[in-house]
Protein backbone atom coordinates (compact mmCIF):
# COMPACT_ATOMS: atom_id res chain seq x y z
CA UNK A 1 0.00 0.00 0.00
CA UNK A 2 1.48 3.33 -1.02
CA UNK A 3 -1.05 6.07 -0.62
CA UNK A 4 -0.63 9.80 -1.05
CA UNK A 5 -0.80 11.28 2.45
CA UNK A 6 -0.83 14.95 3.38
CA UNK A 7 -0.22 16.05 6.96
CA UNK A 8 -0.59 19.77 7.64
CA UNK A 9 1.59 21.50 10.22
CA UNK A 10 4.08 18.68 10.26
CA UNK A 11 7.41 20.46 10.55
CA UNK A 12 7.60 19.27 14.14
CA UNK A 13 5.58 17.85 17.02
CA UNK A 14 2.54 15.64 16.52
CA UNK A 15 2.34 16.31 12.77
CA UNK A 16 5.90 15.18 12.17
CA UNK A 17 5.35 12.02 14.23
CA UNK A 18 2.26 11.27 12.12
CA UNK A 19 4.18 11.85 8.89
CA UNK A 20 7.00 9.56 10.06
CA UNK A 21 4.50 6.78 10.88
CA UNK A 22 2.87 6.96 7.44
CA UNK A 23 6.29 6.97 5.74
CA UNK A 24 7.27 3.88 7.74
CA UNK A 25 4.16 2.16 6.35
CA UNK A 26 5.40 2.87 2.82
CA UNK A 27 3.08 5.76 1.98
CA UNK A 28 4.08 8.80 -0.05
CA UNK A 29 4.03 11.58 2.50
CA UNK A 30 3.75 15.31 1.91
CA UNK A 31 3.91 17.70 4.84
CA UNK A 32 3.21 21.38 5.15
CA UNK A 33 4.94 23.90 7.36
CA UNK A 34 4.26 27.54 8.02
CA UNK A 35 7.38 29.29 9.27
CA UNK A 36 10.13 26.71 9.67
CA UNK A 37 11.18 24.52 6.72
CA UNK A 38 11.79 21.08 8.24
CA UNK A 39 14.74 18.84 7.45
CA UNK A 40 13.98 15.20 6.67
CA UNK A 41 12.73 13.01 3.88
CA UNK A 42 9.11 14.06 3.44
CA UNK A 43 7.99 16.29 0.59
CA UNK A 44 7.76 19.60 2.49
CA UNK A 45 5.61 22.39 1.13
CA UNK A 46 5.17 25.88 2.57
CA UNK A 47 1.51 26.42 3.36
CA UNK A 48 -0.05 28.83 5.79
CA UNK A 49 -3.49 27.28 6.27
CA UNK A 50 -4.98 30.73 6.86
CA UNK A 51 -4.12 31.65 3.27
CA UNK A 52 -6.40 30.10 0.63
CA UNK A 53 -3.90 30.80 -2.19
CA UNK A 54 -1.12 28.97 -0.32
CA UNK A 55 -3.47 26.02 0.29
CA UNK A 56 -4.28 25.86 -3.41
CA UNK A 57 -0.60 26.15 -4.39
CA UNK A 58 0.40 23.44 -1.91
CA UNK A 59 -2.19 20.99 -3.25
CA UNK A 60 -1.14 21.71 -6.86
CA UNK A 61 2.50 21.03 -5.96
CA UNK A 62 1.68 17.79 -4.12
CA UNK A 63 -0.61 16.57 -6.90
CA UNK A 64 2.13 17.35 -9.43
CA UNK A 65 4.70 15.31 -7.48
CA UNK A 66 2.57 12.45 -6.10
CA UNK A 67 -0.99 12.61 -7.51
CA UNK A 68 -4.24 13.32 -5.66
CA UNK A 69 -4.24 13.27 -1.88
CA UNK A 70 -5.86 10.06 -0.58
CA UNK A 71 -5.34 10.59 3.14
CA UNK A 72 -5.57 14.04 4.71
CA UNK A 73 -4.50 14.71 8.27
CA UNK A 74 -5.47 18.23 9.28
CA UNK A 75 -3.14 18.87 12.18
CA UNK A 76 -1.88 22.46 11.94
CA UNK A 77 -2.83 24.38 15.04
CA UNK A 78 -1.87 27.23 17.33
CA UNK A 79 -2.72 28.57 20.78
CA UNK A 80 -3.05 32.19 21.93
CA UNK A 81 -4.10 31.73 25.53
CA UNK A 82 -5.66 34.31 27.80
CA UNK A 83 -8.62 34.80 30.09
CA UNK A 84 -11.74 35.98 28.31
CA UNK A 85 -11.78 39.49 29.79
CA UNK A 86 -8.24 40.07 28.53
CA UNK A 87 -8.52 38.19 25.23
CA UNK A 88 -8.28 40.43 22.18
CA UNK A 89 -10.71 39.70 19.38
CA UNK A 90 -7.73 39.13 17.07
CA UNK A 91 -6.49 36.37 19.40
CA UNK A 92 -9.86 34.67 19.14
CA UNK A 93 -10.28 35.00 15.39
CA UNK A 94 -6.70 34.06 14.49
CA UNK A 95 -6.89 30.83 16.50
CA UNK A 96 -10.23 29.93 14.93
CA UNK A 97 -8.91 30.91 11.49
CA UNK A 98 -5.91 28.58 11.84
CA UNK A 99 -7.40 25.65 13.74
CA UNK A 100 -10.93 25.49 12.32
CA UNK A 101 -11.19 27.53 9.11
CA UNK A 102 -7.73 26.24 8.13
CA UNK A 103 -9.11 22.70 8.48
CA UNK A 104 -12.07 23.72 6.30
CA UNK A 105 -9.71 25.06 3.60
CA UNK A 106 -7.61 21.92 3.35
CA UNK A 107 -10.53 19.48 3.72
CA UNK A 108 -12.51 21.22 1.00
CA UNK A 109 -9.55 21.13 -1.38
CA UNK A 110 -8.71 17.48 -0.60
CA UNK A 111 -12.29 16.31 -0.85
CA UNK A 112 -12.64 17.13 -4.55
CA UNK A 113 -10.14 14.41 -5.50
CA UNK A 114 -11.49 11.94 -2.94
CA UNK A 115 -15.05 12.28 -4.27
CA UNK A 116 -13.75 11.59 -7.77
CA UNK A 117 -11.86 8.53 -6.50
CA UNK A 118 -14.85 7.45 -4.38
CA UNK A 119 -12.41 6.77 -1.54
CA UNK A 120 -10.49 8.73 1.04
CA UNK A 121 -9.61 9.25 4.67
CA UNK A 122 -9.70 12.51 6.60
CA UNK A 123 -8.50 12.85 10.18
CA UNK A 124 -8.75 16.09 12.15
CA UNK A 125 -6.50 16.66 15.15
CA UNK A 126 -8.69 18.26 17.81
CA UNK A 127 -8.04 18.27 21.56
CA UNK A 128 -9.53 17.03 24.82
CA UNK A 129 -9.93 20.74 25.57
CA UNK A 130 -12.56 20.98 22.83
CA UNK A 131 -14.76 18.66 24.89
CA UNK A 132 -13.84 19.65 28.46
CA UNK A 133 -13.16 23.37 28.03
CA UNK A 134 -10.15 25.01 29.61
CA UNK A 135 -9.88 28.28 31.52
CA UNK A 136 -7.66 30.62 29.49
CA UNK A 137 -8.24 28.75 26.24
CA UNK A 138 -11.74 29.80 25.16
CA UNK A 139 -10.52 30.53 21.62
CA UNK A 140 -8.61 27.25 21.32
CA UNK A 141 -11.40 25.15 22.88
CA UNK A 142 -13.99 26.73 20.58
CA UNK A 143 -11.86 25.96 17.52
CA UNK A 144 -11.29 22.36 18.62
CA UNK A 145 -14.97 21.78 19.49
CA UNK A 146 -15.86 23.21 16.09
CA UNK A 147 -13.78 20.50 14.43
CA UNK A 148 -16.10 17.86 15.90
CA UNK A 149 -19.25 19.30 14.31
CA UNK A 150 -17.36 19.96 11.10
CA UNK A 151 -16.00 16.41 10.90
CA UNK A 152 -19.33 14.79 11.72
CA UNK A 153 -21.07 16.86 9.04
CA UNK A 154 -18.47 15.78 6.49
CA UNK A 155 -18.82 12.17 7.62
CA UNK A 156 -22.51 12.39 6.73
CA UNK A 157 -21.90 14.22 3.44
CA UNK A 158 -19.12 11.99 2.21
CA UNK A 159 -19.95 8.55 3.59
CA UNK A 160 -21.71 7.45 0.43
CA UNK A 161 -18.41 7.98 -1.41
CA UNK A 162 -16.52 5.70 0.97
CA UNK A 163 -14.70 8.65 2.51
CA UNK A 164 -14.30 8.40 6.28
CA UNK A 165 -13.91 11.49 8.46
CA UNK A 166 -12.77 11.19 12.05
CA UNK A 167 -11.36 13.24 14.89
CA UNK A 168 -8.51 12.45 17.25
CA UNK A 169 -8.67 14.33 20.54
CA UNK A 170 -5.32 14.24 22.33
CA UNK A 171 -4.71 15.24 25.93
CA UNK A 172 -1.39 16.92 26.79
CA UNK A 173 1.41 15.79 24.50
CA UNK A 174 5.14 16.42 24.78
CA UNK A 175 5.74 18.99 22.00
CA UNK A 176 6.88 22.62 21.66
CA UNK A 177 3.25 23.67 22.28
CA UNK A 178 3.18 22.20 25.79
CA UNK A 179 6.87 22.84 26.57
CA UNK A 180 6.02 26.53 26.24
CA UNK A 181 3.86 26.15 29.38
CA UNK A 182 6.90 25.41 31.57
CA UNK A 183 7.75 22.37 33.70
CA UNK A 184 5.56 23.33 36.66
CA UNK A 185 2.33 23.65 34.65
CA UNK A 186 3.15 20.51 32.69
CA UNK A 187 3.63 18.50 35.88
CA UNK A 188 0.28 19.83 37.15
CA UNK A 189 -1.37 18.69 33.90
CA UNK A 190 0.22 15.26 34.16
CA UNK A 191 -1.23 14.92 37.67
CA UNK A 192 -4.75 15.41 36.30
CA UNK A 193 -4.31 12.58 33.80
CA UNK A 194 -5.41 9.17 35.12
CA UNK A 195 -2.38 7.58 33.47
CA UNK A 196 -0.23 10.09 35.34
CA UNK A 197 1.86 11.37 32.45
CA UNK A 198 1.61 13.33 29.24
CA UNK A 199 1.65 11.54 25.88
CA UNK A 200 4.41 11.20 23.33
CA UNK A 201 3.64 12.51 19.84
CA UNK A 202 4.09 8.98 18.53
CA UNK A 203 1.21 7.76 20.72
CA UNK A 204 -1.09 10.17 18.89
CA UNK A 205 0.39 9.22 15.52
CA UNK A 206 -0.41 5.53 16.01
CA UNK A 207 -4.11 6.28 16.38
CA UNK A 208 -4.12 8.51 13.31
CA UNK A 209 -2.52 5.85 11.13
CA UNK A 210 -5.01 3.32 12.47
CA UNK A 211 -7.91 5.56 11.39
CA UNK A 212 -6.40 5.67 7.91
CA UNK A 213 -5.89 1.90 7.79
CA UNK A 214 -8.05 -0.81 6.23
CA UNK A 215 -9.00 -1.96 9.75
CA UNK A 216 -10.79 1.37 10.30
CA UNK A 217 -12.85 1.25 7.09
CA UNK A 218 -16.13 1.17 9.03
CA UNK A 219 -15.27 3.99 11.46
CA UNK A 220 -16.53 7.45 10.54
CA UNK A 221 -17.74 10.46 12.51
CA UNK A 222 -15.88 9.19 15.56
CA UNK A 223 -14.03 11.27 18.12
CA UNK A 224 -11.22 9.14 19.48
CA UNK A 225 -9.74 10.35 22.77
CA UNK A 226 -5.99 9.79 23.14
CA UNK A 227 -5.71 11.50 26.48
CA UNK A 228 -4.66 9.03 29.15
CA UNK A 229 -8.23 9.11 30.48
CA UNK A 230 -8.33 12.87 31.09
CA UNK A 231 -11.58 13.45 29.21
CA UNK A 232 -13.37 10.27 30.29
CA UNK A 233 -17.14 10.54 29.87
CA UNK A 234 -17.06 13.40 27.38
P1 LIG B 1 3.52 22.44 17.58
O1 LIG B 1 4.68 21.62 18.03
O2 LIG B 1 3.40 23.86 18.05
O3 LIG B 1 3.48 22.40 15.97
C1 LIG B 1 2.47 23.10 15.31
C2 LIG B 1 2.57 22.85 13.83
O4 LIG B 1 1.53 23.61 13.19
C3 LIG B 1 3.90 23.32 13.24
O5 LIG B 1 4.27 22.45 12.21
C4 LIG B 1 3.55 24.69 12.67
O6 LIG B 1 4.35 25.06 11.57
C5 LIG B 1 2.13 24.43 12.20
N1 LIG B 1 1.36 25.67 12.03
C6 LIG B 1 1.11 26.63 12.93
N2 LIG B 1 0.40 27.62 12.36
C7 LIG B 1 0.19 27.26 11.07
C8 LIG B 1 -0.47 27.85 9.96
N3 LIG B 1 -1.06 29.04 10.05
N4 LIG B 1 -0.47 27.20 8.78
C9 LIG B 1 0.15 26.01 8.68
N5 LIG B 1 0.79 25.38 9.68
C10 LIG B 1 0.81 26.02 10.85
O7 LIG B 1 2.13 21.77 17.98
P2 LIG B 1 1.75 20.27 18.34
O8 LIG B 1 1.74 20.16 19.80
O9 LIG B 1 2.52 19.30 17.52
O10 LIG B 1 0.20 20.29 17.89
C11 LIG B 1 -0.25 19.73 16.67
C12 LIG B 1 -1.77 19.69 16.72
O11 LIG B 1 -2.18 18.92 17.84
C13 LIG B 1 -2.41 21.06 16.89
O12 LIG B 1 -3.59 21.14 16.14
C14 LIG B 1 -2.71 21.11 18.37
O13 LIG B 1 -3.79 21.97 18.66
C15 LIG B 1 -3.08 19.66 18.62
N6 LIG B 1 -2.96 19.24 20.02
C16 LIG B 1 -1.77 19.37 20.69
C17 LIG B 1 -1.70 18.97 22.02
C18 LIG B 1 -0.43 19.08 22.81
O14 LIG B 1 -0.48 18.88 24.03
N7 LIG B 1 0.72 19.35 22.21
C19 LIG B 1 -2.82 18.45 22.65
C20 LIG B 1 -4.02 18.34 21.94
C21 LIG B 1 -4.06 18.73 20.62
P3 LIG B 1 5.72 25.91 11.77
O15 LIG B 1 6.64 25.04 12.55
O16 LIG B 1 6.21 26.17 10.40
O17 LIG B 1 5.31 27.15 12.51
Amino acid sequence: MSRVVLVTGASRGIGLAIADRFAALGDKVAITYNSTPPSGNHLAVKCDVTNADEVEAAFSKIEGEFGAVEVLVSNAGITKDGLLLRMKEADFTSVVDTNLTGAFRVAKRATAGMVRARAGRIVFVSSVVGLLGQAGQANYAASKAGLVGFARSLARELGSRSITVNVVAPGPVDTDMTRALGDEKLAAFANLVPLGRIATADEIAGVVTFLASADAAYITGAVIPVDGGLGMGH
Side-chain angles (χ1 to χ4, degrees), residues 11 52 135 156 174:
S11 52
R156 291 183 189 281
D174 182 21

Side-chain angles (χ1 to χ4, degrees), residues 192-209:
L192 296 173
V193 177
L195 283 180
R197 63 175 178 86
I198 68 172
T200 65
D202 192 54
E203 287 173 315
I204 313 305
V207 177
V208 173
T209 50

Side-chain angles (χ1 to χ4, degrees), residues 9-15 32-36 47-50 75-78 98-99 125-128 140 144 170-173 175-178:
S11 52
R12 52 201 164 93
I14 294 170
T32 69
Y33 64 94
N34 185 30
S35 54
T36 327
C47 174
D48 177 351
V49 296
T50 67
N75 166 79
I78 58 168
T98 304
N99 297 3
V125 179
S126 175
S127 166
V128 67
Y140 182 75
K144 294 300 187 180
V173 185
T175 69
D176 292 347
M177 189 179 268
T178 42

Side-chain angles (χ1 to χ4, degrees), residues 58-141:
F59 271 86
S60 298
K61 166 112 179 120
I62 293 159
E63 286 165 353
E65 299 268 344
F66 286 163
V69 171
E70 296 166 285
V71 178
L72 170 68
V73 183
S74 176
N75 166 79
I78 58 168
T79 51
K80 285 192 184 169
D81 296 352
L83 296 171
L84 181 63
L85 287 178
R86 287 194 216 128
M87 187 178 285
K88 297 191 179 73
E89 186 168 324
D91 293 339
F92 190 90
T93 53
S94 68
V95 167
V96 171
D97 194 24
T98 304
N99 297 3
L100 180 58
T101 319
F104 158 79
R105 292 185 188 98
V106 294
K108 180 173 176 182
R109 183 57 178 78
T111 297
M114 292 180 184
V115 166
R116 268 194 300 278
R118 301 185 80 82
R121 299 292 171 95
I122 300 176
V123 180
F124 294 104
V125 179
S126 175
S127 166
V128 67
V129 162
L131 307 173
L132 286 182
Q134 176 71 31
Q137 290 198 307
N139 49 0
Y140 182 75

